[in-house]
Amino acid sequence: VPMQEGCLSEYSQLIPGTIEIVSECRKRGYKIGSTSGYLPSMLAINLADAKKQGYVPDATFGANDVKRGRPFPHMVMQNILELDISPVQSVVKVDDTLTGIEEGLNAGCWAIGLAISGNEVGVQLEEWENLSEDLKQKHRDRIYPKMYQRGAHYVVDTIADLMPCLDDIELRLKRGEKP
């Protein structure tokens, strides 16, 4: 843990598009909750680094804040309670991990998988940008199905691709659909 804490800030750069997407979500009146499997000391580092870059979620809960972590829904549910959100079916869980997708589904939420910008590819942005288009597509071909198989309602490359999914969810909610 001390080694991870020592280098965590080196890997805390926000994913391109995060600030713009969060800004658009806030314009729409969305509340932003966050969940993490990190220990409290690690989560504090991430939150401080995010704040320096202009991102501050409305609520954040880590695995140590609840009885059970992912894939149990407790962190999502704690956010829902803290942010006073109702109905649960209006909540969208966005995650780059398979267990994070399960966490959202177990909470009764819509789930959107981020295939490229997270754990499933496991490379830094600069490395990703230097991959051939063929290799990038091979990663997509491997990861998208995995996320859909875990139950994701939508899968996109990164958070920068999120708004069309949220637009569609809004339309589906207006039609009375539920996750």
Side-chain angles (χ1 to χ4, degrees):
V1 171
M3 288 176 62
Q4 284 181 302
E5 290 174 349
C7 69
L8 196 55
S9 289
E10 295 174 39
Y11 303 98
S12 291
Q13 184 68 30
L14 291 177
I15 295 164
T18 300
I19 296 298
E20 295 81 4
I21 294 297
V22 169
S23 176
E24 179 60 30
C25 287
R26 293 205 185 279
K27 285 180 192 170
R28 294 180 180 202
Y30 297 170
K31 296 175 183 177
I32 310 290
S34 178
T35 67
S36 175
Y38 278 159
L39 296 171
S41 58
M42 300 162 118
L43 186 52
I45 293 167
N46 270 107
L47 288 171
D49 290 341
K51 185 175 183 178
K52 289 175 193 171
Q53 297 171 71
Y55 171 64
V56 179
D58 299 313
T60 300
F61 292 95
N64 282 16
D65 296 321
V66 295
K67 186 174 179 180
R68 293 182 178 158
R70 296 176 183 149
F72 293 95
H74 300 150
M75 289 186 288
V76 171
M77 298 305 290
Q78 197 65 35
N79 270 285
I80 290 169
L81 292 170
E82 177 72 20
L83 298 173
D84 194 26
I85 297 172
S86 183
V88 170
Q89 295 84 1
S90 68
V91 175
V92 179
K93 173 68 162 110
V94 179
D95 209 291
D96 64 5
T97 67
L98 299 174
T99 56
I101 290 168
E102 290 179 39
E103 173 189 26
L105 295 171
N106 289 335
C109 306
W110 299 92
I112 301 174
L114 303 178
I116 302 307
S117 58
N119 292 338
E120 289 302 311
V121 171
V123 299
Q124 297 300 312
L125 178 61
E126 185 177 311
E127 293 172 80
W128 173 260
E129 290 172 341
N130 290 321
L131 294 178
S132 70
E133 288 305 315
D134 184 54
L135 189 52
K136 288 178 183 179
Q137 190 58 48
K138 284 182 181 179
H139 280 294
R140 287 183 185 99
D141 291 345
R142 175 178 56 83
I143 298 165
Y144 271 62
K146 282 171 72 172
M147 290 187 157
Y148 279 121
Q149 286 169 359
R150 288 291 177 99
H153 297 94
Y154 304 85
V155 179
V156 295
D157 280 3
T158 76
I159 194 169
D161 307 309
L162 195 61
M163 293 317 296
C165 301
L166 298 178
D167 291 341
D168 193 56
I169 289 170
E170 284 186 17
L171 290 173
R172 293 174 76 176
L173 287 168
K174 286 178 185 173
R175 291 192 303 257
E177 290 184 47
K178 296 179 180 177

